[in-house]
Amino acid sequence: MKVLWLSPWMRPLARIHVEALRAQGDDVMLVTTDQHPESDAARPYEIVLDARVKQPSSWVPFLRALRAARAFAPDVVVTELVRDPRWTAFGALAPRVQLIHDDRPHDASENRPAWERAIFDRWGGRSAATIAFSDYVADAVRHGRVPGAGSPVHVIPLTSDVEDTRVSTVVPADARRDVVLLGRINSYKNIEVVLEAWRRHVGGPGWRGDDLVVIGKGEIGVPLPPHTIHRNEPFRYDDELGAISRAKASLVHYRRASQSGVQVLCMQLGVATIVSDRGALPEFQTPGEPVIGVDDVDALVAELDRVANSDIAFRSGSAARKHYDAQFSSAVAGARLHALLAATAGVAPDLVQPRVPGVDVEL
């Protein structure tokens, strides 16, 4: 099966999916951009385009890429967060499957202009199928709360956008320290409730000398409690994976539901996640781990006290890694994705032959 994947924004995660499909025997061409902060040198299967529509120099590479995609002759096209009208030409090359990441924008910065909604909601609605990464978002699509989604709707696991080969063994109990809160600072991340819980945890008998390390760009509108560090800058995985892996827990205690890549990343690294009953999503949570009321500061303090114990943090982190491996790994997601794309393309999965290594893109 030949898959053309269009992903201007989510390049690291798209690479994970592409390589999982290649492991299934598929040939995949990824059309992307350098807009993601984790972008680096193009891989053999990638075409990297300039996303600036109004930049004249972007048009010749686009036309070359379109010719290459036509020569590739895909069986199916996958699109996610496409916002360049030119890219719709790629979507006409084969039956199209759309990936939906969230049921609504995270904040005002993600609101799209009216012209963009008009073009891409109509285009997305003509997809042969839609894939969501959670039952929560799939339900929103099926009930019409997400514009621009095609039918039928399928669910595959949300895997991490960090390669499994970059992840070490679960950090032992005696090396655990601190609690982390990751990602761009948004109001939906429930910062005030989290910081109040941390303030009370630090002032109580359960504190074991840890810091709360907030890693993410954005202003925090309230004073920081004692033993809180805010690294107010975008983070790169190469800089922070070690610190995250050593954490006793990760606070993903959001005010509303979000398919949280942070939650999945922390499970992959062997770090327990502390989630609310309203967000981040409870359906992803490791079995046996608590889900806490979004405004329940007392319960949040109690959970911070519990995971402050390094042995408990290690056991919870080990359970999180096992849950990730069984339910969210790239191999698990790739197998499910391959079957869905093959069905859309009309290709029998059991007839797909192992691929010849390397799809070197020639422009």
Side-chain angles (χ1 to χ4, degrees):
M1 181 170 60
K2 291 186 176 182
V3 180
L4 175 61
W5 196 293
L6 311 178
S7 183
W9 292 98
M10 307 295 289
R11 187 175 179 184
L13 183 57
R15 283 174 165 179
I16 299 295
H17 286 133
V18 165
E19 292 179 12
L21 288 173
R22 285 160 63 90
Q24 292 285 326
D26 299 326
D27 282 341
V28 191
M29 176 186 289
L30 172 61
V31 182
T32 185
T33 75
D34 278 331
Q35 293 178 99
H36 196 281
E38 293 288 329
S39 295
D40 53 21
R43 297 183 182 179
Y45 52 76
E46 286 184 310
I47 297 176
V48 184
L49 296 180
D50 188 333
R52 297 170 296 175
V53 179
K54 296 181 181 179
Q55 184 67 29
S57 62
S58 72
W59 280 84
V60 170
F62 163 74
L63 293 172
R64 288 175 179 163
L66 185 58
R67 284 199 296 271
R70 285 173 175 154
F72 180 64
D75 297 302
V76 63
V77 179
V78 179
T79 69
E80 55 180 335
L81 301 177
V82 171
R83 299 292 181 262
D84 184 334
R86 296 175 297 181
W87 287 39
T88 60
F90 291 111
L93 299 178
R96 178 164 42 90
V97 174
Q98 182 174 210
L99 300 189
I100 300 288
H101 283 261
D102 290 291
D103 62 321
R104 54 181 167 169
H106 287 112
D107 57 30
S109 68
E110 295 185 1
N111 288 332
R112 295 178 292 150
W115 70 265
E116 194 174 282
R117 294 196 305 270
I119 292 174
F120 290 104
D121 287 355
R122 198 160 46 239
W123 185 64
R126 295 196 296 268
S127 300
T130 296
I131 293 176
F133 295 107
S134 67
D135 292 328
Y136 172 85
V137 172
D139 182 70
V141 172
R142 293 185 183 112
H143 287 85
R145 298 194 297 273
V146 180
S151 184
V153 182
H154 307 281
V155 178
I156 67 167
L158 176 63
T159 194
S160 171
D161 60 1
V162 173
E163 294 93 339
D164 289 333
T165 56
R166 296 176 64 183
V167 176
S168 62
T169 57
V170 176
V171 172
D174 60 4
R176 296 274 176 163
R177 62 176 182 269
D178 300 335
V179 172
V180 294
L181 193 161
L182 308 173
R184 188 158 52 97
I185 303 302
N186 298 89
S187 59
Y188 79 93
K189 291 192 173 178
N190 210 18
I191 299 295
E192 293 187 13
V193 168
V194 165
L195 293 183
E196 176 58 27
W198 184 255
R199 186 187 312 277
R200 288 169 51 179
H201 166 67
V202 168
W207 182 58
R208 303 292 181 92
D210 298 302
D211 290 329
L212 171 61
V213 184
V214 182
I215 307 172
K217 184 73 173 175
E219 296 302 320
I220 297 176
V222 296
L224 296 181
H227 300 284
T228 302
I229 299 167
H230 181 200
R231 299 179 189 167
N232 190 2
E233 58 189 16
F235 71 91
R236 293 183 61 85
Y237 290 135
D238 285 344
D239 300 328
E240 304 295 353
L241 283 184
I244 300 168
S245 299
R246 291 188 296 272
K248 292 179 176 178
S250 172
L251 281 160
V252 202
H253 197 259
Y254 298 165
R255 293 209 66 81
R256 66 170 181 79
S258 172
Q259 288 176 170
S260 176
V262 167
Q263 186 179 11
V264 174
L265 170 66
C266 291
M267 290 192 294
Q268 178 193 29
L269 296 177
V271 176
T273 55
I274 301 175
V275 308
S276 76
D277 59 354
R278 198 181 295 177
L281 283 163
E283 69 179 81
F284 288 8
Q285 185 68 325
T286 305
E289 292 294 303
V291 175
I292 297 169
V294 70
D295 289 313
D296 192 341
V297 176
D298 290 340
L300 190 50
V301 172
E303 180 61 9
L304 290 168
D305 289 349
R306 186 181 77 90
V307 297
N309 181 304
S310 295
D311 291 326
I312 292 176
F314 171 72
R315 289 197 296 270
S316 293
S318 298
R321 170 70 71 83
K322 290 178 181 177
H323 185 51
Y324 172 84
D325 289 342
Q327 300 294 331
F328 299 97
S329 70
S330 60
V332 171
R336 177 66 175 148
L337 180 61
H338 168 79
L340 290 175
L341 295 181
T344 303
V347 177
D350 58 342
L351 296 181
V352 176
Q353 298 299 312
R355 64 180 303 280
V356 176
V359 178
D360 293 331
V361 175
E362 297 288 346
L363 293 182

